[in-house]
Amino acid sequence: SVGLQKSFEKLFTDLNIPAPGLVVKDGAGLSHDTRISARTVADLLVKIKSEPSLEVIYSGLPLAGISGTLRNRFTKDAPNAVGLIKAKTGWINSTVSLAGYINVGEKDYVFAVIADHLANRESIRQSARVAIDKMLATIAKPAPGMVPIEPEPETTLPPSND
């Protein structure tokens, strides 16, 4: 939709973020015709972290191995990164992505990874996710004195009497 494209262009202009090549075909990001660069995503993440009014976006991101869509990621293949990455996942048939923040010692860094042109099979998408997680784990490092965050234990509901 032209209106949606214009809305995104205005948003990036208002945030002073260059968005060359941006093409928005749907609001859900599920169209194969939607285009955004990893650089634009990274610039947006920098802005989110630096603008107090956008803090809610940062604080709502899933934490590696702990919560949300990252609850089961990193735990087996890259355990040293558990609790050190806040990020948003994404995927459509032939693409997987992960973008967010990684703790490296005393600093946080922004990253955006888009693995594109994958075969349309879940096993291939899963292999790409594992590769991304392992790559990020090579630089993830807790800050000095940082206490590791432990995953919450699985909760089970008591049997119902229905």
Side-chain angles (χ1 to χ4, degrees):
S1 135
V2 173
L4 194 58
Q5 175 77 28
K6 295 286 184 207
S7 295
F8 272 85
E9 289 171 0
K10 181 179 180 339
L11 169 73
F12 284 108
T13 299
D14 291 351
L15 292 173
N16 199 27
I17 297 172
L22 177 70
V23 177
V24 181
K25 293 295 183 180
D26 70 352
L30 298 175
S31 170
H32 287 274
D33 297 324
T34 294
R35 298 282 180 266
I36 189 167
S37 72
R39 178 58 191 247
T40 299
V41 172
D43 288 345
L44 179 59
L45 290 167
V46 168
K47 183 65 77 167
I48 287 168
K49 188 80 164 151
S50 65
E51 291 284 331
S53 64
L54 301 175
E55 164 65 23
V56 67
I57 297 170
Y58 174 79
S59 62
L61 288 172
L63 190 58
I66 306 293
S67 63
T69 54
L70 294 182
R71 181 182 183 107
N72 297 318
R73 284 193 53 180
F74 296 90
T75 56
K76 292 183 179 77
D77 298 313
N80 67 300
V82 168
L84 300 177
I85 295 170
K86 289 180 77 75
K88 175 71 182 98
T89 62
W91 74 276
I92 57 174
N93 296 344
S94 59
T95 303
V96 296
S97 62
L98 188 66
Y101 307 89
I102 183 167
N103 188 255
V104 183
E106 296 185 6
K107 296 187 178 189
D108 281 337
Y109 291 92
V110 165
F111 68 89
V113 181
I114 302 170
D116 199 6
H117 301 289
L118 302 171
N120 184 11
R121 290 197 311 276
E122 181 54 26
S123 62
I124 299 296
R125 289 189 293 271
Q126 184 58 25
S127 292
R129 290 180 190 108
V130 169
I132 291 167
D133 295 355
K134 286 181 174 184
M135 176 191 66
L136 290 169
T138 65
I139 62 169
K141 189 168 94 175
M146 182 178 178
V147 177
I149 300 171
E150 296 294 326
E152 293 180 14
E154 293 286 331
T155 56
T156 54
L157 298 174
S160 87
N161 293 333
D162 295 352

